[in-house]
């Protein structure tokens, strides 16, 4: 099951340039932050931070990077495999829909509770990618 998501964060600026070691490290920290709320079966790839593709020539979303009240958007994909023995195509679609709903309910709850912010800041502080003390707040995931 592949899913696309958007994480909203405040105080993430300045965003490093596309292709830089810094944006790749920031993406890795954000991937770990998303995965910190999920079980080990999930894989995450952050491909755009604040409108900057992580990799040069990488995917750029077709939608504009809305900046709402100083928030930066982080775009990512999640993949997970869930067994569905004996499922036909309709059963698999229902399972996929349930997994998507449960996954994003868990992620948004983790963002709202502050758990994601805590995870991100503990990983990012001391890297030079964010101010110290960390002022980043992850506000939502959808």
């Amino acid at each position: 099951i592949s899913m696309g998501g958007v994480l909203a964060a405040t105080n993430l600026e300045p965003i490093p340039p596309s292709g830089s070691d810094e944006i790749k490290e920031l993406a890795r920290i954000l991937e770990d932050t998303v995965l910190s709320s999920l079980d080990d079966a999930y894989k995450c790839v952050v491909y755009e931070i604040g409108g900057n593709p992580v990799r040069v020539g990488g995917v750029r979303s077709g939608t504009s990077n809305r900046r709402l009240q100083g928030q930066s958007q982080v775009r990512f994909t999640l993949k997970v495999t869930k067994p569905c023995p004996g499922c036909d195509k309709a059963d698999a679609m229902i399972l996929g829909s349930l997994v998507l709903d449960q996954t994003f309910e868990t992620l948004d709850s983790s963002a709202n509770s502050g758990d994601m912010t805590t995870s991100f800041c503990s990983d990012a502080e001391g890297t030079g990618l964010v101010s110290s003390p960390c002022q980043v707040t992850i506000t939502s995931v959808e």
Side-chain angles (χ1 to χ4, degrees):
I1 303 167
S2 294
M3 302 166 258
V6 177
L7 174 151
T10 59
N11 301 316
L12 200 53
E13 296 82 13
I15 307 297
S18 296
S20 66
D21 289 343
E22 292 83 6
I23 199 168
K24 291 174 186 173
E25 177 65 7
L26 184 58
R28 185 199 60 77
I29 293 168
L30 286 161
E31 289 163 358
D32 289 349
T33 300
V34 169
L35 293 172
S36 70
S37 303
L38 302 170
D39 68 50
D40 291 342
Y42 286 84
K43 305 290 182 232
C44 179
V45 174
V46 168
Y47 62 89
E48 186 181 287
I49 304 172
N52 291 356
V54 172
R55 308 217 180 309
V56 172
V59 175
R60 181 180 287 274
S61 64
T63 58
S64 65
N65 179 47
R66 297 174 298 159
R67 293 186 44 84
L68 304 173
Q69 300 169 337
Q71 291 190 353
S72 294
Q73 292 184 338
V74 176
R75 297 180 186 281
F76 63 91
T77 58
L78 282 173
K79 291 186 180 184
V80 67
T81 301
K82 295 283 184 184
C84 192
C87 285
D88 62 18
K89 190 172 183 173
D91 293 335
M93 295 284 285
I94 291 167
L95 176 66
S97 178
L98 290 172
V99 168
L100 184 133
D101 289 347
Q102 291 168 350
T103 299
F104 282 93
E105 186 176 307
T106 299
L107 291 174
D108 199 46
S109 174
S110 181
N112 290 329
S113 72
D115 290 348
M116 273 195 185
T117 296
T118 301
S119 175
F120 175 84
C121 284
S122 68
D123 288 348
E125 276 188 342
T127 63
L129 297 171
V130 297
S131 61
S132 189
C134 179
Q135 300 295 313
V136 174
T137 302
I138 296 172
T139 57
S140 66
V141 179
E142 53 188 44

